[in-house]
Amino acid sequence: MSGRLDGKVAIITGGASGLGAAQAMLFAREGAKTIIADRDRKAGETLADSIVASGGTAEYGMLDVTDETSWATLVSSVVERHGALHILSNTAGIIHPAATVDESVEGWNRIVAVNQTGVFLGMRAVIPHMAAQGGGAIVNVSSLLGLIGFSGMIAYSATKGAIRIMTKAAAMEAVKQGIRINAIIPGPMKTPIQVNVPPEVDAWQRSRIPMGDLGEPEDIAYGALYLASDQAKYVTGTELIIDGGWSVTT
Ligand SMILES: NC(=O)c1ccc[n+]([C@@H]2O[C@H](COP(=O)([O-])OP(=O)(O)OC[C@H]3O[C@@H](n4cnc5c(N)ncnc54)[C@H](O)[C@@H]3O)[C@@H](O)[C@H]2O)c1
């Protein structure tokens, strides 16, 4: 049976856990050579082994998304060994709660470095390779907190809003090179990142979701699969909201 990503080489940052891991498993099932790029070597290698054991093609690649040398090392080794790079999913991200008046400069800089600078460095690292081979697809993972106003997450919200406009700006820069760049906007999903959410916020967010529950990581993976695949060949600079209907309500 043919897969939707047959013959594609895909890097997924944050691929060792949560939404990135769900994409790694699905992309591999759909025929991609999947590179699980993450700073967590143990979890990344364990996931790659389990994908290979179930018949997929996957490998772990050490990556700190905040570090440009780390990006250069990973991308050149992937291109050298696989001869191409078709897909980048920028999924790595961190969160901590802090309102504007409580956030430290150190905390602000930490979130910006991973969530925002990491996406910039990723796009910058792969676009020349994708352009040289005639095209590619980039998926950037934003958040509902980058779409509507929430209190208590100033730095995280700032980075996730930035990812949305970075996606559109970069999409316009790269469109003539056959590179499509799109964003996914997840609502709350059942992943380890949610352990940082205080219980009262968890209860509140469940009460706000029209579908009544947090989403599954696969719900995001299927959206990323579409945007990364050739079925989305006419789609660039757009945003796919996957949030159980939250953003539709007032
Ligand atoms: N889970 C949600 O409710 C939710 C909602 C909206 C958006 N998101 C976004 O989805 C993305 C994934 O979230 P998740 O829930 O899967 O989180 P997660 O904590 O389960 O996974 C994040 C992964 O990113 C990796 N990572 C963190 N910093 C890194 C760095 N500097 N370099 C390389 N890897 C790094 C971690 O090791 C981890 O494997 C994040 O960008 C997050 O902001 C999540």
Side-chain angles (χ1 to χ4, degrees), residues 22 37 45 70 72 75 82 89 114 122 125-126 128 134 144-145 148 161 169 195 209-210 218 220 238:
E45 287 180 343
S70 182
V75 170
H82 298 294
S89 173
V114 177
V126 303
L144 191 58
L145 276 71
I148 54 181
V195 299
I209 300 169
E218 293 71 28
I220 300 304
T238 196

Side-chain angles (χ1 to χ4, degrees), residues 17 19 38-39 63-65 91 156 160 187 189 191 193-194:
S17 175
L19 306 186
D38 203 291
R39 67 181 176 184
L63 176 69
D64 177 352
V65 296
T91 305
Y156 183 82
K160 293 301 180 176
M189 297 286 148
T191 75
I193 214 173
Q194 285 284 336

Side-chain angles (χ1 to χ4, degrees), residues 207-226:
S207 75
R208 292 299 308 270
I209 300 169
M211 288 189 179
D213 195 7
L214 279 68
E216 307 287 343
E218 293 71 28
D219 296 325
I220 300 304
Y222 279 108
L225 171 64
Y226 167 65

Side-chain angles (χ1 to χ4, degrees), residues 24 28 32-36 44 47-52 55-60:
K33 288 179 182 159
T34 304
I35 292 93
I36 297 163
L47 179 60
D49 288 348
S50 87
I51 291 173
V52 170
T57 306
E59 64 193 40
Y60 168 72

